[in-house]
Amino acid sequence: MIDLYTAATPNGHKVSIVLEELGLPYTVHALSFDKKEQKSPDFLKINPNGRIPAIVDRANGDFAVFESGAILIYLAEMTGKLLPADPKGRSVALQWLMFQMGGIGPMQGQANVFFRYFPEKLQGAIDRYQHETRRLYEVLDTRLQDVEYLAGEYSIADIATFPWVRGYEWSGVPVDGLTALQRWMATMEARPAVQRGLLIPERTDDESVVKGAQAMLIR
Ligand SMILES: N[C@@H](CCC(=O)N[C@@H](CS)C(=O)NCC(=O)O)C(=O)O
């Protein structure tokens, strides 16, 4: 059994989607940013970085994993699914996974901060992060003109990338003209496991939780 520590954010959704795709049983622990539960001493023992997502594998000596990309690799290797077995295919999948972890996540995350939450309107910062995110989307689009999924076959690279790209409107980043990216998004959205994963954890309408999440994103 896997314990999943998460919140309704793109990085959290990566892990609930992969768990749904793999059909692994898991227990959801929804952390409240408003209550700073991600910084509690108990949670810092699981993720020293004090952020979601993290998992604890109860069937493997309570082994804890943090960083969403590392969690996806751990679960794919554990099950032998969603990551090609041959060295070249595996490398291609990991390249696109790293592209998301080092590029789209940080750039789009900062686009959200400066476009949505930052107390001052810093147009230079907004432009910088939105344009860089669009540039990274164009790299994805070019790739997806040649292949159905980022690694050729469906993999953890798609699962890592989709929860971010689907938020393009919220980030103020247009996807006009990126027809291959739009086709891929529609394919991803149609997957039942993706739809289930996006509902984890249950959304709350508690405004204080939303404010708390925004405060965390600013830092
Ligand atoms: N690189 C990390 C990023 C994790 C991250 O930034 N998580 C955000 C939510 S998407 C978070 O926990 N924010 C709360 C905070 O910063 O205290 C990963 O991919 O797991």
Side-chain angles (χ1 to χ4, degrees), residues 7-15 31 33 36 38-39 43 47 49-54 66-71 100-101 105-106 164 212-213 215-219:
T9 74
N11 289 322
H13 286 148
K14 293 174 192 176
V15 182
L31 300 194
F33 290 168
K36 295 203 168 25
Q38 78 279 21
K39 310 294 181 200
F43 185 66
N47 182 354
N49 195 29
R51 291 187 161 202
I52 64 91
F66 72 98
E67 281 294 323
S68 57
I71 297 169
Q100 186 287 311
M101 291 296 295
W164 279 98
M216 294 308 141
L217 283 163
I218 287 174
R219 286 209 303 265

Side-chain angles (χ1 to χ4, degrees), residues 31-63:
L31 300 194
S32 162
F33 290 168
D34 193 38
K35 295 182 188 153
K36 295 203 168 25
E37 288 174 344
Q38 78 279 21
K39 310 294 181 200
S40 72
D42 277 351
F43 185 66
L44 289 175
K45 287 181 198 149
I46 295 169
N47 182 354
N49 195 29
R51 291 187 161 202
I52 64 91
I55 61 165
V56 176
D57 187 352
R58 299 292 173 200
N60 191 12
D62 289 351
F63 185 66

Side-chain angles (χ1 to χ4, degrees), residues 3 10 47 85 92 98-99 115 156 158 179 181 214:
D3 276 337
N47 182 354
V92 172
M98 299 300 161
F99 177 81
F115 186 50
I156 54 174
D158 303 290
T179 51
L181 186 69
Q214 291 173 355

Side-chain angles (χ1 to χ4, degrees), residues 99-174:
F99 177 81
Q100 186 287 311
M101 291 296 295
I104 290 175
M107 292 302 113
Q108 194 170 340
Q110 292 304 310
N112 289 343
V113 166
F114 288 105
F115 186 50
R116 292 283 173 188
Y117 310 123
F118 204 67
E120 292 162 59
K121 189 179 161 138
L122 301 176
Q123 196 58 49
I126 295 169
D127 290 348
R128 156 75 186 155
Y129 291 115
Q130 287 182 337
H131 291 164
E132 181 61 5
T133 304
R134 166 75 193 199
R135 188 189 69 78
L136 296 168
Y137 285 3
E138 289 171 6
V139 175
L140 290 176
D141 185 69
T142 302
R143 169 71 179 162
L144 290 165
Q145 286 169 22
D146 295 335
V147 287
E148 186 175 6
Y149 295 107
L150 290 170
E153 63 188 74
Y154 184 57
S155 77
I156 54 174
D158 303 290
I159 294 172
T161 307
F162 173 68
W164 279 98
V165 177
R166 72 188 280 268
Y168 67 90
E169 274 183 325
W170 177 251
S171 307
V173 179

